[in-house]
Amino acid sequence: MSFVRTTPPRPVDVAAVFPELAPLARAAIRLHPRAGSPSVFESSVGGPLLWPADEPWPHCDGSHPGSGMSRSPAEIRLERRRRARLHRDPHGPQYTPEEEAIKKRNDATFMERLDAGPPWPAESPVPMLPVAQLYLRDIPLLRPPGQADLLQVLWCPYDHEPDYKPSTALFWRSAAAVVDILATPPEPYEADYDGYVPEPCLLAPEQITEYPNSLDLSAEERQLLGDWSRWQAADGGVDSSYADYPAEFYDCELADAPGWKVGGWPPWGRTDPYRRFCAVCDAQMVPLLTIASFEWDGGTRGWAPYEDEAAAFAASHVAGQDPAQPTAVEVGSADNLQLYVCPASPEHPHTDLIQ
């Protein structure tokens, strides 16, 4: 890890103001992905995987109706690089010779596909795309099975019914057991959405303490949050504008952190809490990884690391260069994709949920 990100202290000490909630504290590790060029030997989002050359690359066997207008991962990445270059140098060429050559190849392939006419079925099975690679040495909250010390997460860049989200695959492995590394993994012909093609990012893992979203609290605990006199006694001083809705301040500033993270509490909001149970042993599953569309938004800027505060509070940003979206990932309606695993055995089938 070559850089650091530091979450500011919370404006109120939850355990001090609401000691009843203290037992609910959980450790989480914010990943803080930021644009970079990770290697297979580093933890990353959207980076290359330490994948054995003799192990088949994972493919998705689901249904993949093509739109005929979707772009390949290579096209998506090219356009991002081009826009970033033009942002740095507005007077530069619209396309460099290298970009123009790539664009011509991509356009030719696209026209061939368009001329074939509908329906436009995608190739099947579809090669999956790397989403995250997490080494235990960097993310000690991982609880891998056996001698594994590496978690690899991939997904299919198509929406899948009934929830219209990418299907995901998890792989636990021992890094030392990988001798010959797959040099050029296959890529899908196209991606349903640009947001399903992660940008390569390095990580700056940071362990924090989280408390549950108010939706995860009992009726009695939610009633405690509504006691304005408790909030008034808080040393941090809560803005009186929250007097009628103190739970909103709690959820935005004190409970579960936004952004990519391992462990912690689920970021409810799209639905009420939805308990997940292991299909093998029926144990209640626990959060493993939050795949976030944004590192912060208008209501959670207070969670932006010290090092990113200027960017977080900037009045505007250039399209495609949002500092709150370094991974370029976007799932659902700017939601989170939460991955859950069985606490009894991480090797049991995982599940996921958009929130």
Side-chain angles (χ1 to χ4, degrees), residues 22-81:
L24 301 179
R26 279 186 188 175
I29 293 183
R30 301 188 74 187
L31 299 182
H32 298 307
R34 299 296 183 267
S37 299
S39 76
V40 297
F41 303 107
E42 295 176 287
S43 293
S44 66
V45 162
L49 304 185
L50 185 76
W51 196 268
D54 60 353
E55 183 175 325
W57 186 260
H59 287 63
C60 177
D61 294 318
S63 174
H64 305 98
S67 67
M69 301 301 290
S70 298
R71 300 189 294 175
S72 70
E75 290 175 277
I76 292 167
R77 296 186 191 108
L78 171 66
E79 183 60 19
R80 287 173 184 164
R81 290 196 302 270

Side-chain angles (χ1 to χ4, degrees), residues 148-199:
D149 59 359
L150 177 60
L151 169 65
Q152 295 169 324
V153 181
L154 302 93
W155 67 18
C156 173
Y158 286 84
D159 272 335
H160 288 258
E161 296 181 356
D163 300 319
Y164 296 96
K165 62 180 184 292
S167 61
T168 53
L170 305 185
F171 294 86
W172 299 93
R173 70 174 74 253
S174 168
V178 182
V179 179
D180 295 320
I181 303 168
L182 182 65
T184 308
E187 280 206 332
Y189 175 82
E190 64 181 16
D192 238 357
Y193 300 106
D194 290 9
Y196 291 169
V197 181
E199 278 294 295

